Amino acid sequence: MASRHETAVEALRAFLAAINTNDGYSYTPGAVVRINVFPDQISLDSSLQTIYLIRPGEEVQELKDSGNTAVHLEIFILVVGRFLEPTDNPHEAEQLRWQMAADMVHDVLQKLGTDNRLGAPSVVIDCARGGYRTDYERYLHGWALAEIRMVLHFHRATAGR
């Protein structure tokens, strides 16, 4: 049986996997994968144009009087797009790389804005509280990428998992 933690992360994974260019997004992810560490070269399939990697981070738990525990789980979403640059100089095509990363980030935030419970109201309380932070200071040759940081909020029974 999956823990509430894994169930909430799976809800996020499935929610982001539904992003599609036919619905007004810039990129359709070829894969949305839960990982334990980044960089995870195994998850970077160069045959795919766009990949979203989801990595859980720090978890904070608050015991409540009602027999429930409020859980706040930090999540890192690495949006990665295949970027075939015409040169080995990473600075020559930087504006195009940054635009691609920004478009992927926009797609994710646009999708998250459609339902802050990720289509899983029995599990996820909120994914928007506290906002989103984006880090564009990553570089990996052949890819455009950015990391989105957010916090998933959900409850679990204090005695349960």
Side-chain angles (χ1 to χ4, degrees):
M1 184 169 139
S3 68
R4 280 295 240 206
H5 170 279
E6 286 299 325
T7 304
V9 171
E10 175 54 25
L12 174 63
R13 192 207 63 73
F15 195 72
L16 294 180
I19 292 174
N20 192 300
T21 55
N22 294 332
D23 298 327
Y25 296 94
S26 296
Y27 297 95
T28 298
V32 181
V33 182
R34 189 238 192 256
I35 60 172
N36 291 322
V37 296
F38 184 80
D40 181 354
Q41 297 295 336
I42 295 168
S43 299
L44 295 179
D45 180 346
S46 62
S47 70
L48 300 174
Q49 177 63 32
T50 307
I51 304 167
Y52 298 157
L53 304 174
I54 300 171
R55 181 178 64 83
E58 183 177 86
E59 181 178 88
V60 176
Q61 299 184 34
E62 296 178 54
L63 299 176
K64 301 292 184 180
D65 292 336
S66 63
N68 285 320
T69 298
V71 181
H72 313 283
L73 178 62
E74 182 179 38
I75 297 287
F76 299 91
I77 303 168
L78 193 71
V79 294
V80 185
R82 192 78 181 117
F83 187 78
L84 302 174
E85 44 201 321
T87 176
D88 286 336
N89 181 348
H91 302 291
E92 229 172 84
E94 202 55 37
Q95 188 173 10
L96 293 173
R97 179 191 307 278
W98 193 358
Q99 183 61 55
M100 185 176 182
D103 289 344
M104 289 184 294
V105 167
H106 182 267
D107 284 350
V108 169
L109 298 183
Q110 180 181 337
K111 181 65 174 173
L112 292 173
T114 64
D115 181 358
N116 68 339
R117 299 189 80 177
L118 307 177
S122 64
V123 178
V124 178
I125 303 301
D126 194 355
C127 74
R129 189 179 350 149
Y132 308 100
R133 296 177 309 183
T134 303
D135 178 4
Y136 290 98
E137 293 186 39
R138 291 183 172 268
Y139 175 79
L140 187 60
H141 182 73
W143 300 92
L145 50 100
E147 183 179 71
I148 303 166
R149 297 176 189 133
M150 60 183 277
V151 177
L152 273 181
H153 303 275
F154 57 95
H155 286 132
R156 67 167 177 78
T158 300
R161 295 195 182 270

